[in-house]
Amino acid sequence: MATGRTHRPATRSRGIPEATVARLPLYLRALTALSERSVPTVSSEELAAAAGVNSAKLRKDFSYLGSYGTRGVGYDVEYLVYQISRELGLTQDWPVVIVGIGNLGAALANYGGFASRGFRVAALIDADPAMAGKPVAGIPVQHSDDLEKIIQDNGVSIGVIATPAGAAQAVCDRLVAAGVTSILNFAPTVLSVPDGVDVRKVDLSIELQILAFHEQRKAGEEAHTDGTGPAAVTREEPADAAASADQGPDGDVPAVMPA
């Protein structure tokens, strides 16, 4: 059996904050783009801008890696790519299984970025017997009855769940029981896992709702600017103290948004 299952990220033992860990892939993506353009060195300001963070935060993050750059020169791009890849555990091959080969699962299987970032799609699994043997992205789909054997044969420690919400928890339980210790969940539900199992949730609808909130705020600010709309009337002259108490700190957004 592959040894990947017993490996734990070096970041935990070295005390790197989770917020820093979450930014390391952003730095790696920016550095990889620089490397592909044969850029030898990069300043903290340039790299921070490319990664979408401020340079002081970047320098603090890199200090946890023991990398401080060279004054007047900056950071060596190739060395940082190696350093961050090693810290993230990407210098070894990580076999991954994707469970649920519907539209989303098939799209994930066809994503070309896995292999270049240290991940190998070892198996595609689906509960539909009609899918068994059907090739997706050049990989034949296997039936979920064989999930445990597939996990064991491939030494898989990372599972991707792309099933409907109703099936996700049962799939999660089987993955964990088979030895999977990290799960990327695309199903629109919260998974319950035991200690020692890491879950990352990707919910596109939540991200869109957050964007909708910001769009609503922008629209309200524009209404204030041109003096039109009911929001502007509320800000200028609240009818009474009770009405004022129902407003948020900006005067135009309820302090508690409706569910």
Side-chain angles (χ1 to χ4, degrees), residues 163-208:
T163 66
Q169 185 62 59
V171 168
C172 174
D173 292 343
R174 291 182 63 189
L175 288 173
V176 171
V180 168
T181 51
S182 293
I183 293 173
L184 181 61
N185 178 32
F186 284 88
T189 187
V190 176
L191 298 176
S192 176
V193 296
D195 290 342
V197 176
D198 296 311
V199 175
R200 298 286 296 180
K201 180 169 174 53
V202 180
D203 193 322
L204 301 180
S205 65
I206 287 178
E207 300 304 322
L208 286 171

Side-chain angles (χ1 to χ4, degrees), residues 218-241:
K218 284 184 241 178
E221 289 169 0
E222 289 172 2
H224 287 317
T225 301
D226 62 18
T228 62
V233 173
T234 306
R235 166 177 278 188
E236 290 175 1
E237 196 171 275
D240 51 36

Side-chain angles (χ1 to χ4, degrees), residues 63-218:
S63 72
Y64 290 110
L65 306 180
S67 185
Y68 298 94
T70 303
R71 184 178 296 276
V73 176
Y75 294 92
D76 183 290
V77 170
E78 291 299 333
Y79 180 67
L80 266 184
V81 168
Y82 164 74
Q83 199 172 23
I84 295 176
S85 296
R86 181 187 62 187
E87 202 65 44
L88 290 172
L90 303 182
T91 53
Q92 69 181 81
D93 179 58
W94 291 100
V96 174
V97 296
I98 301 175
V99 185
I101 313 302
N103 291 334
L104 177 57
L108 293 171
N110 279 285
Y111 173 56
F114 285 127
S116 63
R117 288 167 173 81
F119 302 95
R120 174 176 56 87
V121 178
L124 306 177
I125 304 173
D126 198 273
D128 183 358
M131 291 287 294
K134 178 180 178 181
V136 175
I139 304 172
V141 176
Q142 301 181 67
H143 193 268
S144 58
D145 285 350
D146 300 321
L147 183 148
E148 287 78 9
K149 184 176 186 301
I150 294 167
I151 299 297
Q152 183 175 11
D153 288 350
N154 290 280
V156 173
S157 57
I158 300 176
V160 178
I161 297 178
T163 66
Q169 185 62 59
V171 168
C172 174
D173 292 343
R174 291 182 63 189
L175 288 173
V176 171
V180 168
T181 51
S182 293
I183 293 173
L184 181 61
N185 178 32
F186 284 88
T189 187
V190 176
L191 298 176
S192 176
V193 296
D195 290 342
V197 176
D198 296 311
V199 175
R200 298 286 296 180
K201 180 169 174 53
V202 180
D203 193 322
L204 301 180
S205 65
I206 287 178
E207 300 304 322
L208 286 171
Q209 288 166 7
I210 292 171
L211 289 175
F213 168 79
H214 290 296
E215 285 300 311
Q216 178 177 256
R217 289 294 295 259
K218 284 184 241 178

